[in-house]
Amino acid sequence: TVVVDLDCVFGDVASVMGLVPEHTIGELAVLPSFDSTTVKVHLSRHERSGLYVLAGSGRPEEGEAVTDDVATRVLKILTRDFPYVVVDTAAGLDERALAAIEVATDIVLLASMDVASVRNLGKEVDALDRLGMTGARRHFVLNRADTNVGLEVADVEIAVGLPVEAAIPSSRDVPLSMNQGRTLAVDDP
């Protein structure tokens, strides 16, 4: 499995996993051309989990070089070489996120139990529908689903227009593991 950080300007997948990558997707984007071997050289391995990571850019200006065309080419190469390609995008629907959704088999849509998050996800689902991007299976994950903040799961499902497939409870362990750069699922399965 490879994880691609398509939040190219402010991505944090590598740091959350405790990695210090030698290469980033931004460096790959500025090359005159690249192939499967070149892409693989730009991957970092997370030894404890066995995952490979294509890290987001180290600097915002480097991340801006990652166009939707570059994102599509990288993802197509990786899907030929890896059985699973997981893509983390920036919030919202930028050109890179739309490119990833265009080639995706599944998309995981995430919201937390607050009105702003729920409204934004509802808008994104609506935008995807209007753009005709309905080919990928959609999976709605509700984060911090057990918080008592005046919203009910049923109301969230109506607002987003999708049923919740996974409800993740709030846990202190999640931000703690991220702050420590360790992978919770590996450290405490």
Side-chain angles (χ1 to χ4, degrees), residues 45-100:
R45 182 151 167 88
H46 185 259
E47 295 299 330
R48 297 207 52 221
S49 67
L51 293 171
Y52 289 91
V53 174
L54 181 54
S57 300
R59 298 183 321 269
E61 63 275 8
E62 185 181 88
E64 292 297 331
V66 183
T67 63
D68 56 338
D69 178 57
V70 168
T72 300
R73 289 186 355 220
V74 167
L75 294 175
K76 285 183 177 179
I77 287 170
L78 290 171
T79 57
R80 287 193 300 263
D81 294 338
F82 289 88
Y84 300 102
V85 178
V86 177
V87 181
D88 181 31
T89 64
L93 296 173
D94 66 13
E95 66 182 33
R96 292 173 287 267
L98 291 172

